[in-house]
Amino acid sequence: MSTYTFDLDLGDAIEEAFEQAGSELKSGYDYRTARRSMNLMFLEWQNRGLNLWTIKSGSQSLTAGTSRYALDAKVLDIVEAFIRTNSGSTANQVDQNLTRISVKQYSHLTNKLTQSKPLQFWLEKSDTGSSINLWPVPDSTEPYVFEYYYIERIADAGTAGSDNPEIPSRFLPCLVAGLAYHVALKKPDLQDRIPLLKQLYEEQWQQAVDADRGKESLFFVPGGYRY
C-alpha cells in the first residue's frame, strides 16, 4: 500500500546533513550548533524573497479614533490588505482594498487625525515588531475590520530531536543541503567540500522555490498606474 507521509524530524535532518557534509553527528554540542545554524538559515530564507507557504491571513477589529495597531511578532510583512465592512454577513459583507504608502507619504499627510473609512496604511517596522498606521483614522460610522495577508516568520527549530521543522516536505532536500553546507563551514577538515556543498544547496533552493511559485496567469495591461 502506498504512503505519502515521509518527513524528517529535527534529529534525522541534522544527522543527514552531517552525513552529506562528510562528517558524523557525535555529541550534544554538534546537535546544538547545527540547530543554531538551522535557525540562522531560516532567517536567510526569509531574506531571499517571498515563500508562498509562509503567507497567512490575519484580522484586526478597528476602534473609532485609533489609527495605530500593533501586529503579532510573527508578522514579517504585509502582502495585501483591505477594510471589511459588515463582517460575517452572508449578504452585505464588502471588502475594499487599501493602498500601502511609505513613511515619507505618511509623514506628508497634512491632517493625520482625519476620521473616515480608512483608505491607506503605512507598515511601521521596528526591532521589536511591526505596527500598521491607518489613514484616514477609523470613524464610528460602522464597525471596520482590517483584513490582511502577511508573510509569517518561519518557526524556530525545536529543542527536542523528535520535533519536525515546520516547512513543507518539498523544502526538506533544501533544508538538509543547506545545513550540510553550514556545518562544513564550521569544520576545518571539511573545507575542501564547501564549494560542492554550496552548489548543491543553491540547486536545491532553486528547485524548491520554482515548485513554490504561483501558477496563476499574469496579464499586463497598457495605460495602468504610473509611479
Side-chain angles (χ1 to χ4, degrees):
M1 181 177 178
S2 299
T3 61
Y4 308 91
T5 58
F6 175 77
D7 203 351
L8 289 176
D9 63 29
L10 196 60
D12 286 340
I14 292 176
E15 185 175 7
E16 178 67 19
F18 267 80
E19 291 174 355
Q20 287 192 16
S23 186
E24 184 179 353
L25 183 65
K26 297 180 179 179
S27 66
Y29 176 77
D30 284 341
Y31 178 87
R32 290 195 302 273
T33 189
R35 182 165 55 86
R36 184 169 63 245
S37 293
M38 187 181 295
N39 282 326
L40 289 171
M41 188 170 64
F42 285 161
L43 296 178
E44 174 204 333
W45 287 7
Q46 291 166 169
N47 291 333
R48 282 185 177 225
L50 177 63
N51 300 306
L52 295 184
W53 55 276
T54 63
I55 296 179
K56 304 294 174 60
S57 61
S59 181
Q60 171 69 56
S61 297
L62 304 182
T63 303
T66 302
S67 62
R68 189 174 186 273
Y69 299 82
L71 300 174
D72 193 283
K74 64 183 179 182
V75 177
L76 288 180
D77 204 350
I78 291 179
V79 180
E80 294 285 349
F82 46 94
I83 290 294
R84 175 169 292 172
T85 53
N86 298 314
S87 180
S89 171
T90 58
N92 301 317
Q93 179 174 291
V94 177
D95 293 339
Q96 178 179 314
N97 287 338
L98 289 175
T99 301
R100 181 169 178 169
I101 60 176
S102 65
V103 59
K104 180 178 181 180
Q105 291 171 305
Y106 185 80
S107 66
H108 286 183
L109 293 172
T110 304
N111 187 352
K112 297 178 179 61
L113 302 179
T114 299
Q115 293 195 18
S116 184
K117 184 179 182 179
L119 300 172
Q120 300 174 324
F121 76 97
W122 162 47
L123 181 62
E124 179 183 355
K125 295 184 178 182
S126 70
D127 56 348
T128 58
S130 300
S131 300
I132 54 166
N133 296 269
L134 298 170
W135 189 88
V137 179
D139 60 19
S140 58
T141 303
E142 57 183 310
Y144 299 118
V145 179
F146 178 77
E147 299 282 347
Y148 59 101
Y149 291 95
Y150 65 92
I151 302 174
E152 183 180 62
R153 176 171 175 170
I154 302 174
D156 297 341
T159 55
S162 60
D163 286 347
N164 289 43
E166 294 187 14
I167 63 173
S169 58
R170 62 182 177 274
F171 271 81
L172 286 175
C174 177
L175 169 69
V176 172
L179 188 56
Y181 164 67
H182 285 285
V183 166
L185 289 175
K186 297 181 176 182
K187 292 184 173 292
D189 57 321
L190 299 177
Q191 298 302 295
D192 59 330
R193 296 179 62 86
I194 289 177
L196 174 60
L197 293 171
K198 174 66 171 176
Q199 180 182 347
L200 292 175
Y201 174 34
E202 294 299 335
E203 289 176 356
Q204 292 291 351
W205 167 261
Q206 192 58 52
Q207 291 177 17
V209 169
D210 288 344
D212 201 45
R213 185 174 299 167
K215 305 301 189 296
E216 63 277 2
S217 300
L218 178 64
F219 299 93
F220 293 92
V221 180
Y225 293 104
R226 292 179 297 175
Y227 296 93

